[in-house]
Amino acid sequence: MHSQLAPSRSYRHYLATLGSSLFTALFIYFLEIIFVISFAALIYSGDLLAQMPRALALILLGDAIMCAITALISSNPGAIGVQQDTPGAMISVVAAGVTVALAGAPEMQFATVAINVMFTTMTTGLLLLALGVFKLGALVRFLPYPVMGGFLAGTGWLLVEGGLTMMLDAPLGLAWLQPDTLALWGTAAVTGVLVFGAARKLENPAVIPVALALAIALFYGYAWAAQVPLEALRAAGWLLDSQASGGAWQSPLSGDMLSQVDWGTVRNQIPALLPVAIICVIELLLISSSLELVNKKDSDLNRELMVAGVGNLAAGFMGGLTGYTDVSYSTLNKTLSGGRRLVGVMIALMLGATMFAGITLILFIPRFVFGAVLIYLGLVLLAEWVYETWLRSSRLDFLVIITILAIIVTSGFLQGVIAGLILAVILFVVSYSRVSVIKFALSGREYRSRVTREKHEQEVLEAHADQLYILKLEGFIFFGTANGLLSKIRAQRQSASAPLNYVVMDFSRVSGVDSTGMLSFARMMQWSVERGVELVFTGLSDRLAPAFERQRALNPEAVVRFFPDLDHGIEWCENELIAAHAPQQPRADSLIAALEEYMKRDAVRKLLPYLKRREFAPGEYLIKVGDAPDFMYFIESGQVTAQLEPANGKPVRLETMQGGRTVGELGFYLGARRTASVVADQPSVVYVLSVDDLRIMESSDQEAASILHRTILHLQNERVAHLTRTVGALERA
């Protein structure tokens, strides 16, 4: 029984899949055919309206090819790729210029516009393909949001303007107020506004085709009731002339077409066409990001760029318009059919069939419907990028969008693109200059070097800490941020309670400094000479160091010092402060003298029997990473440094210690293998306590063991207090 039911279920599932795919394809096809005719009428307007069937043949074939390629090879199975409104609006401006330049020569006008369309689409395809192949799609994300919004708002204006002017084939003027003229463009405007309002209010994709079908039905219903013949409607401009020329497709590269092209006009229009490719790349990546949200999975942006590139090259070769994935159609496909490639293939077949069999029939759609569609699309863009931007974005962003829009309206799209790129640079400079390159700014009171000082030295540093100002920098430094850095240092000197004598700047996290930024550092060196401030630069990369060395050579009076890292730069400043404000004191000449700062002499003497004296030469290791924790060291004289030693890098200093300090006590007490090395910087004398001697001490002399433990606890408390103060200062910075 099951074997008999299975084929039946499979067959029903196949029919259900085919039915939902066909319904979705028909729904999207009806929308797309209206949009295609609208774009064609927008571009091939004026004197070229008589060539509409030929133009539609080119555009429909290109649209079918774009749709098929996207459906078959896109990383998103439900993607529907069609020709788009933004490039269509921009190309229409160029086509209008061609029509004016070649007035009175309809064949030459048509051929020249067709070649311009072909050039634009194929150029866009090459750019998209190159970006995808070399995985450079992310570069266009650096275009500021308001600049992109200005371009799209300008596109919206061009669509609204095109929707109105295509009804009259004439620019705005007093002739528009004549009753017959007013009826033509007024009907398109009212219909476009009503469709826009209904679609925005109801938020249902079926609103648009239903509204347009209703408008067509009302138009022909009125014509039938008033007994107005088709010839009269066509003569009055309500219908396109479907008999003006044949609709057979002819390649733009055919001999007949190429012989009619005015190549000088084509060359003159190239600067106006190139921005189309840039805008298309940006819009495609925005659409891909939107589809990621719809599909709830990441898109392969570079693959989508290559798919769109191949589609535009193929469509452009056939004379089609620029296109790529459409987010609305793709979302409809996802909603109605689950997102199937079959839907895109069906739409492509329907568009191709229309080119061969249905061009004359679709030209019976009233002309005002095409104008209404363009007005609707333009209002959508204007609402999104002007009205909604006013509500949700900063006033600066809104001002940029309005400025670009105003330039496009008054001067043209190319001028708007140029202004947008200039504004993009200005926005970058203004925005980035607001980002501080200072990671933290602290005084010498809050941030110390990793050198453990004697008590009297710590007191000196505490008393004169405000003479030291420490700045850790990050990011890329150019004129705006470098000038802000100089202003910060000036303000600190004026507000400090004590004279500012040392400024330390760490560049270990600075990626670069441009030439204008270096001029600010040159001014900083001149200022330091005038104010008696010494500059300390640390962490300069091999690429940055030569530039700063040259600036120091150009300012020989400036006191500028260089150190490999921030810690050593601060150590030098601390040594200078100690030398200037504390008399030189002799170092302790015995372990007893060195430890008397923390314990009584008698207590120290109790420890000595358990310690063994050792001497270390400079560079000799007391401890190496991975050593067993068998010993703890008491420093009598000299200096040692605890450091990390990465396999592929310079050692990183953890702490430098002198007489009276202990080394290795943490691992010693915890029983953990050594995680850092300790090396002698100078000839050093240390006393060693082994684990075995500690056990003997704890069992035979509990008083000595107690003294040892209290001493270690005291030294650890000092370290923790210093660390807590530093962390707190960094949190507040």
Side-chain angles (χ1 to χ4, degrees), residues 381-709:
L381 288 173
L382 289 171
E384 180 179 358
W385 294 103
V386 178
Y387 175 71
E388 293 179 12
T389 300
W390 167 261
L391 296 178
R392 67 173 182 247
S393 300
S394 69
R395 292 297 171 261
L396 177 60
D397 288 351
F398 180 77
L399 180 61
V400 171
I401 290 173
I402 290 298
T403 300
I404 296 174
L405 174 59
I407 293 172
I408 291 174
V409 171
T410 57
S411 302
F413 207 95
L414 179 60
Q415 290 80 357
V417 169
I418 294 171
L421 295 177
I422 295 172
L423 286 172
V425 175
I426 295 173
L427 278 177
F428 170 79
V429 174
V430 171
S431 299
Y432 199 86
S433 62
R434 291 176 179 173
V435 178
S436 176
V437 294
I438 301 174
K439 183 175 178 60
F440 64 74
L442 302 171
S443 71
R445 188 183 314 280
E446 300 161 316
Y447 198 91
R448 298 274 179 86
S449 72
R450 294 173 182 172
V451 176
T452 303
R453 305 285 183 178
E454 294 184 9
K455 188 174 182 179
H456 76 281
E457 294 177 336
Q458 294 179 26
E459 292 172 350
V460 169
L461 294 178
E462 189 70 23
H464 301 280
D466 291 336
Q467 296 182 31
L468 172 60
Y469 190 43
I470 303 162
L471 298 161
K472 189 170 183 65
L473 311 179
E474 63 180 354
F476 185 84
I477 300 176
F478 69 105
F479 175 76
T481 50
N483 190 61
L485 180 61
L486 178 56
S487 299
K488 177 86 172 176
I489 295 172
R490 286 172 170 169
Q492 175 66 19
R493 187 178 185 278
Q494 292 175 354
S495 63
S497 58
L500 183 62
N501 292 332
Y502 305 95
V503 175
V504 180
M505 282 170 276
D506 182 64
F507 291 79
S508 59
R509 291 196 171 192
V510 172
S511 58
V513 181
D514 73 352
S515 56
T516 55
M518 288 306 305
L519 291 177
S520 291
F521 283 107
R523 289 171 53 209
M524 190 182 297
M525 292 180 187
Q526 295 170 0
W527 172 85
S528 70
V529 174
E530 297 169 0
R531 301 296 187 271
V533 176
E534 296 191 35
L535 300 177
V536 178
F537 296 151
T538 69
L540 287 167
S541 65
D542 294 339
R543 185 168 55 87
L544 289 177
F548 280 86
E549 289 282 6
R550 286 193 295 271
Q551 288 298 333
R552 181 172 66 171
L554 295 173
N555 296 274
E557 296 180 356
V559 180
V560 181
R561 301 184 186 277
F562 299 93
F563 291 92
D565 56 60
L566 177 62
D567 192 47
H568 284 88
I570 296 174
E571 178 190 0
W572 179 85
C573 295
E574 291 174 348
N575 291 340
E576 292 294 300
L577 287 171
I578 292 169
H581 299 285
Q584 186 70 28
Q585 296 189 14
R587 294 283 179 183
D589 57 357
S590 68
L591 182 63
I592 295 176
L595 293 178
E596 277 185 338
E597 185 176 336
Y598 310 105
M599 62 182 74
K600 295 180 180 179
R601 178 178 292 265
D602 292 341
V604 179
R605 292 184 183 278
K606 283 185 171 291
L607 296 178
L608 288 179
Y610 302 96
L611 306 179
K612 296 180 176 59
R613 187 178 186 277
R614 286 191 59 184
E615 295 183 5
F616 289 87
E620 190 175 354
Y621 281 85
L622 286 71
I623 297 172
K624 287 189 175 182
V625 174
D627 284 353
D630 296 335
F631 301 99
M632 179 174 68
Y633 302 85
F634 291 82
I635 304 172
E636 179 180 76
S637 62
Q639 177 175 294
V640 301
T641 293
Q643 62 189 26
L644 296 176
E645 297 181 338
N648 298 316
K650 298 178 180 178
V652 178
R653 178 164 71 173
L654 299 176
E655 186 179 10
T656 293
M657 295 150 285
Q658 298 172 341
R661 294 287 162 172
T662 58
V663 179
E665 66 274 16
L666 282 179
F668 184 78
Y669 273 89
L670 295 175
R673 286 192 174 273
R674 307 299 188 176
T675 57
S677 298
V678 179
V679 63
D681 302 324
Q682 304 170 2
S684 302
V685 177
V686 302
Y687 283 77
V688 183
L689 174 66
S690 69
V691 172
D692 293 337
D693 288 335
L694 175 60
R695 289 173 182 156
I696 294 172
M697 182 194 304
E698 290 176 331
S699 62
S700 62
D701 192 343
Q702 293 185 356
E703 182 181 359
S706 177
I707 291 170
L708 171 67
H709 298 325

Side-chain angles (χ1 to χ4, degrees), residues 34 37-38 41-42 44-50 52 162-170 184-185 187-189 191 216 219-220 233-241 362-375:
I34 296 292
I37 302 169
S38 301
L42 177 64
Y44 293 91
S45 59
D47 296 342
L48 292 175
L49 274 177
M52 181 59 72
L164 294 172
T165 56
M166 70 165 287
M167 299 299 299
L168 306 174
D169 307 329
L184 284 170
W185 68 263
T187 304
T191 305
I216 295 171
F219 171 78
Y220 277 106
L233 293 174
R234 188 170 292 115
W238 291 97
L239 295 175
L240 296 172
D241 186 359
I362 64 177
L363 290 179
F364 282 93
I365 297 174
R367 190 171 170 185
F368 76 87
V369 171
F370 308 140
V373 168
L374 296 174
I375 292 170

Side-chain angles (χ1 to χ4, degrees), residues 58-73:
L58 294 173
I59 294 174
L60 281 169
L61 181 58
D63 206 22
I65 292 171
M66 173 68 65
C67 191
I69 289 176
T70 304
L72 292 173
I73 64 176

